Amino acid sequence: MQKLRVKAALEASASQSGVIIQGWVRTRRDSKDFSFMEINDGSCLKGIQVVVDAGTPGYDQISEFATGAAAEIEGDLVESPGKGQKWEVKATTIKLIGAAPEEYPLQKKRHSDEFLRSIAHLRGRTNKFGAMFRIRSETAKAVHDFFHENGFFNMHSPILTGSDCEGAGEMFRVTTLDLHNPIPKDFDTEDFFGKEANLTVSGQLSAETYALSHGRVYTFGPTFRAENSNTARHAAEFWMIEPEAAFFDLEDNMQLGEDLLKYIIKRVREQCADDLELFTKWVDKTLEATLDNIQNNPFERVSYTEAIEILQKAQKKFEFPVEWGIDLQTEHERFLTETAFKKPVIVYDYPKDIKAFYMRLNDDEKTVAAMDVLVPRIGEIIGGSQREERLDVLERRIDELGLNKDDYWWYLDLRRFGSAPHSGFGMGFERLLMLITGITNIRDVIPYPRTPKSLDF
């Protein structure tokens, strides 16, 4: 007997005798002398039809092969006379592996996303979320393949950190202190690390160290932000893709971001066509056109100052007024991509006062060599910059923002010993998946969303 995944069975080039299919029952339809079952094992969107004659061993339990039950089917893979399927399994033995009683919550009807979040441990069995997480898996593989093909090394950046990369202060504190007892006055020194420890908001600072020894590196891992936000775009735990490359200037950085996006979208469309079709049909009917636009057009590039001028001249009233020095809001970003240019846009050279301390100061002393990649429907998908490689300028920026230079001693060392120009960016993995699938809520592109007052599963 050969075990076959459902995907492999559906794509078989010839009939096969003696196969085993294992999975979960999606539907069952009984006739007088036989039953039809659809079995799905999560390997693809479609299930495979199983035909079970009344005399088949195990048929006496057929009533227990209800929706959601785990089953093992032994039989032969044969051509199907039915429409819409090339192969079916003619069962020789059926085994009930795990029953699913009537209260099984996933019945043959459409369930709301809100309901499915309440049973996130089961929602992967639905068509929508089964497809979503196969796409998530393929997208992650595409990320690694892209960087490997472009000479980048994968670096595992630390999750526990004593540095605040973004300077925003929205970090989760990690402690071994007994919070049920009075906290000692010198609680930092009494704690496990002898100083304040947090969950990281970014792997960037760590990636820079290895970019300045290995040339090109990237991190791809979980990051955390204690932002009390319940919007559809924010989560407390999310994954970040963060490349960092030595001897890359801002222009190199912008090109890398554009190339990465196009590579991933092309790969997912090739490898997950059936799954993507579900989203174009049921989630966002404009999705295919959006992905075509990103994949096939060169990205427009405009300076922040030029973008502000375009927005100010627009015959549109924005909720957030436009003036030089503001941080662009999603409505501004979408106007630039969907109305002004009708394609992806890279905005660069932002005001220094709205960007992080490590971004390279431009000669005008007003802007930094920062860039954001904006795409239709989403807005910002990538944010990055050329990093400040000049020690004196970096120290001045740290002082201006009131940060403690002692916390960044090793980061400053990189500018003392063999400093070199380098650039990098961050792309939120979940936001990328929202772009690829048309899903509008970040809670539905990550297996177990972490949001304020929500830590289930």
Side-chain angles (χ1 to χ4, degrees):
M1 287 286 181
Q2 177 188 5
K3 285 186 180 181
L4 278 183
R5 295 281 273 165
V6 168
K7 179 176 172 58
L10 292 173
E11 295 176 351
S13 57
S15 59
Q16 298 181 47
S17 300
V19 301
I20 297 176
I21 300 290
Q22 297 168 316
W24 293 269
V25 178
R26 284 288 180 87
T27 60
R28 193 191 81 241
R29 178 165 53 90
D30 298 329
S31 294
K32 181 179 179 181
D33 297 319
F34 60 90
S35 289
F36 293 109
M37 285 191 290
E38 181 188 348
I39 302 293
N40 187 283
D41 64 355
S43 61
C44 59
L45 183 63
K46 297 175 182 177
I48 193 165
Q49 179 171 277
V50 176
V51 183
V52 191
D53 291 334
T56 302
Y59 193 84
D60 56 325
Q61 288 185 285
I62 194 67
S63 63
E64 297 184 50
F65 286 75
T67 298
E72 179 178 284
I73 311 297
E74 295 182 8
D76 301 322
L77 185 67
V78 299
E79 290 191 41
S80 176
K83 292 183 179 180
Q85 57 200 19
K86 182 179 181 181
W87 303 105
E88 64 184 23
V89 175
K90 176 73 172 175
T92 55
T93 301
I94 61 172
K95 297 178 184 178
L96 183 69
I97 304 299
E102 290 184 1
E103 59 267 26
Y104 180 65
L106 294 175
Q107 296 302 317
K108 194 177 181 181
K109 64 176 183 178
R110 293 192 69 180
H111 298 285
S112 70
D113 291 338
E114 290 78 9
F115 170 72
L116 292 174
R117 286 176 210 137
S118 72
I119 54 167
H121 57 304
L122 295 172
R123 66 178 177 168
R125 299 188 191 183
T126 65
N127 283 338
K128 178 179 179 180
F129 288 96
M132 174 65 250
F133 295 114
R134 282 188 295 274
I135 289 173
R136 185 179 175 109
S137 176
E138 185 62 38
T139 304
K141 184 176 185 297
V143 169
H144 289 296
D145 288 348
F146 172 84
F147 286 117
H148 178 76
E149 291 171 17
N150 284 276
F152 284 74
F153 296 101
N154 184 208
M155 181 210 168
H156 297 159
S157 57
I159 290 174
L160 292 172
T161 180
S163 300
D164 181 356
C165 178
E166 300 295 334
E170 297 164 341
M171 304 180 77
F172 286 100
R173 176 75 189 263
V174 178
T175 180
T176 56
L177 295 175
D178 184 355
L179 301 182
H180 295 289
N181 290 319
I183 297 176
K185 286 185 178 180
D186 296 326
F187 66 92
D188 280 341
T189 58
E190 295 286 335
D191 213 344
F192 184 88
F193 291 107
K195 62 181 295 186
E196 182 175 336
N198 302 286
L199 297 180
T200 187
V201 299
S202 171
Q204 177 206 311
L205 300 188
S206 299
E208 285 189 54
T209 64
Y210 279 84
L212 292 172
S213 63
H214 288 70
R216 300 180 187 183
V217 301
Y218 72 101
T219 73
F220 184 11
T223 53
F224 309 85
R225 181 162 292 170
E227 184 177 1
N228 190 15
S229 173
N230 279 293
T231 75
R233 292 163 59 92
H234 294 94
E237 178 183 341
F238 50 98
W239 283 61
M240 287 291 291
I241 303 159
E242 296 178 289
E244 199 74 29
F247 309 107
F248 266 44
D249 60 16
L250 185 63
E251 179 67 28
D252 297 322
N253 205 33
M254 291 191 286
Q255 191 62 51
L256 184 70
E258 179 175 344
D259 292 345
L260 172 63
L261 265 179
K262 289 181 174 179
Y263 180 99
I264 290 172
I265 288 172
K266 182 175 185 290
R267 167 73 74 82
V268 174
R269 296 180 84 182
E270 290 173 347
Q271 299 298 319
C272 301
D274 288 346
D275 288 326
L276 272 179
E277 185 180 2
L278 180 149
F279 293 100
T280 60
K281 183 176 181 180
W282 299 105
V283 177
D284 182 359
K285 295 187 185 301
T286 69
L287 181 59
E288 188 170 354
T290 298
L291 298 180
D292 277 341
N293 188 358
I294 297 169
Q295 185 177 335
N296 299 323
N297 283 311
F299 292 8
E300 191 71 33
R301 300 187 186 186
V302 297
S303 71
Y304 170 88
T305 300
E306 291 170 330
I308 291 295
E309 291 172 354
I310 292 170
L311 293 167
Q312 288 176 330
K313 292 176 182 177
Q315 300 298 309
K316 177 180 175 61
K317 185 176 181 179
F318 295 106
E319 179 183 353
F320 295 91
V322 178
E323 62 180 19
W324 200 96
I326 66 160
D327 203 358
L328 296 182
Q329 302 296 317
T330 302
E331 61 173 340
H332 306 142
E333 296 167 345
R334 292 190 63 177
F335 179 86
L336 291 170
T337 59
E338 296 169 16
T339 303
F341 294 104
K342 294 182 170 57
K343 64 177 181 177
V345 178
I346 304 179
V347 179
Y348 60 91
D349 286 351
Y350 280 80
K352 70 174 184 178
D353 292 338
I354 61 173
K355 290 298 182 180
F357 72 94
Y358 50 75
M359 297 186 179
R360 194 181 200 279
L361 189 64
N362 289 327
D363 292 341
D364 60 13
E365 294 276 332
K366 292 167 45 181
T367 62
V368 290
M371 66 93 177
D372 287 339
V373 179
L374 316 179
V375 293
R377 196 173 55 76
I378 295 290
E380 181 194 338
I381 189 76
I382 290 174
S385 70
Q386 183 173 341
R387 316 311 189 187
E388 184 56 75
E389 83 278 10
R390 297 164 296 183
L391 177 62
D392 59 332
V393 179
L394 183 60
E395 289 182 322
R396 173 155 55 93
R397 291 289 291 141
I398 290 175
D399 289 337
E400 287 174 0
L401 293 172
L403 300 174
N404 185 354
K405 277 191 288 196
D406 292 342
D407 290 339
Y408 301 95
W409 64 269
W410 54 272
Y411 192 67
L412 294 170
D413 265 1
L414 296 174
R415 278 72 182 172
R416 290 191 180 94
F417 309 124
S419 184
H422 56 289
S423 296
F425 59 75
M427 177 162 64
F429 189 53
E430 282 72 31
R431 193 165 291 188
L432 171 64
L433 291 167
M434 291 167 71
L435 171 67
I436 291 172
T437 62
I439 286 177
T440 57
N441 197 311
I442 194 171
R443 295 167 177 83
D444 299 327
V445 295
I446 192 168
Y448 295 107
R450 302 303 189 214
T451 55
K453 310 300 181 187
S454 177
L455 192 65
D456 297 322
F457 311 106

